[in-house]
Amino acid sequence: MLYGIAAAAATLLLSALLTGVLRVPALRLGITDRRRRRPLPLSGGTAVALATVLVAAGADAAGLLPLGAGVGRMAVAAGCVALLGLAADLRRLRWWVAPAGTAVAAAFVVPYEETGVAAGVAAVGWIVVATAAFRALDHADGLAGTVGAVGAFGAAACATAELMDGLAALLGVLAAALAGFLLHNWFPARAGLGAAGALFTGFVLASSAVFVRAGQGIGAGAAVLYALAAIGCADAALVVLGRRLDRRAVTRGRPDHLGHRLRRLGLAPRAVPVLLGAGSAGGALVAVCVHTGRLSPGAAWWVGGGGAGVVLVFWGVLSPPPPLFLPPSPTPSRR
């Protein structure tokens, strides 16, 4: 345990340092958030990925925190996904490139010997969806980092219950890296996560949940997977529903995510990640209790119902109804 605490502390400091040091190169290379009025360097994604991989690999090589073959393969695949995200930060890629790359990486990570082929293919699909949903959370200062750190703690608790010490160590290091990044990303943010960090974090969280539940009951497994990613799923469902009903392209960005709608309700910028982080913590608590048998899988229905209620209420309240039909004004007579 002492080694784990030391690794987490080292990761936090390294992530915070790298996020600050890489701000200037990110600005010079144009790796910035294009959605803002002022350029926001996306140095946090590279910092989180580097700090997590370097500390985890170093601890594994030294024999202090052995990861194991499966977890090591997942860390390598997550690093490849982070490089894909970095390419997306550098230049605009077609919308399908990131999901396709994530699917290829997930196909090499899923433990088919425990899940079977059919469930393994479904797990690949889940990893792609959960990773994309987490990436979409990077729309407000402090939000993705907070939800990601909470999710990492929840998944680490599930891994610890299964005696998967290597996976729990990797998730603990990831949570520490996100905490170090949040020192620069809390409102007003001085650095952003970007596609590199969001894809890396979402991939590790989704793959870890699949690892933890591999070979166990499908119903309870689905409940755990959903509860760990409840906030991301609710945000994605809200965005897709709203854009489809408004007949807009789903892949075209708009200020219609959960964080944007909470801001329009008058919530302070610093309160948005706190509120959604608390919701993520509730989902993670349910996931841990279901995984350890303290709650039945049906408890996830409460989380699902809460997410559905959030989607319906926020879309109905903050999406203006279509304008009423007004008869055309009479054409003026030519007489």
Side-chain angles (χ1 to χ4, degrees):
M1 181 170 181
L2 181 61
Y3 291 136
I5 295 175
T11 308
L12 189 151
L13 295 175
L14 181 60
S15 177
L17 177 64
L18 287 175
T19 302
V21 169
L22 294 176
R23 288 183 72 255
V24 174
L27 285 171
R28 291 181 176 176
L29 292 173
I31 308 176
T32 58
D33 191 339
R34 305 179 183 91
R35 298 168 296 181
R36 306 204 179 211
R37 294 180 180 177
R38 60 180 179 84
L40 180 70
L42 301 177
S43 58
T46 304
V48 168
L50 279 177
T52 302
V53 172
L54 289 177
V55 173
D60 179 65
L64 302 178
L65 294 171
L67 298 180
V71 179
R73 186 169 63 250
M74 180 176 64
V76 173
C80 294
V81 172
L83 290 176
L84 177 62
L86 184 60
D89 288 331
L90 279 167
R91 56 181 303 176
R92 294 185 183 277
L93 302 178
R94 294 185 180 274
W95 68 267
W96 53 266
V97 173
T102 304
V104 172
F108 285 97
V109 168
V110 172
Y112 299 99
E113 64 278 4
E114 297 182 29
T115 62
V117 177
V121 172
V124 170
W126 167 253
I127 292 174
V128 173
V129 171
T131 302
F134 184 84
R135 180 186 179 184
L137 288 177
D138 187 28
H139 61 266
D141 293 348
L143 179 55
T146 301
V147 173
V150 171
F153 277 120
C158 294
T160 302
E162 295 295 324
L163 301 181
M164 296 180 174
D165 295 335
L167 183 58
L170 177 65
L171 289 166
V173 168
L174 173 62
L178 290 170
F181 158 70
L182 280 173
L183 297 177
H184 298 269
N185 188 241
W186 208 253
F187 181 85
R190 300 184 302 277
L193 191 62
L199 290 177
F200 175 84
T201 303
F203 184 86
V204 172
L205 293 178
S207 301
S208 299
V210 169
F211 261 78
V212 168
R213 294 300 309 180
Q216 302 188 36
I218 296 179
V224 172
L225 294 180
Y226 171 74
L228 284 174
I231 294 296
C233 291
D235 179 71
L238 176 63
V239 169
V240 172
L241 175 66
R243 293 180 185 177
R244 291 301 297 170
L245 291 178
D246 292 341
R247 296 182 180 180
R248 297 177 180 270
V250 176
T251 56
R252 180 170 296 179
R254 290 183 66 204
D256 55 357
H257 291 267
L258 269 175
H260 299 136
R261 295 170 188 263
L262 287 171
R263 288 294 308 278
R264 288 201 291 272
L265 279 178
L267 204 64
R270 292 183 178 89
V272 171
V274 173
L275 179 61
L276 295 182
S280 180
L285 180 61
V286 171
V288 173
C289 291
V290 170
H291 179 73
T292 55
R294 289 178 171 82
L295 288 176
S296 68
W301 283 104
W302 292 98
V303 180
V310 167
V311 170
L312 293 177
V313 168
F314 273 76
W315 180 81
V317 171
L318 295 178
S319 293
L324 297 175
F325 173 77
L326 295 177
S329 56
T331 304
S333 175
R334 295 182 180 179
R335 296 181 181 177

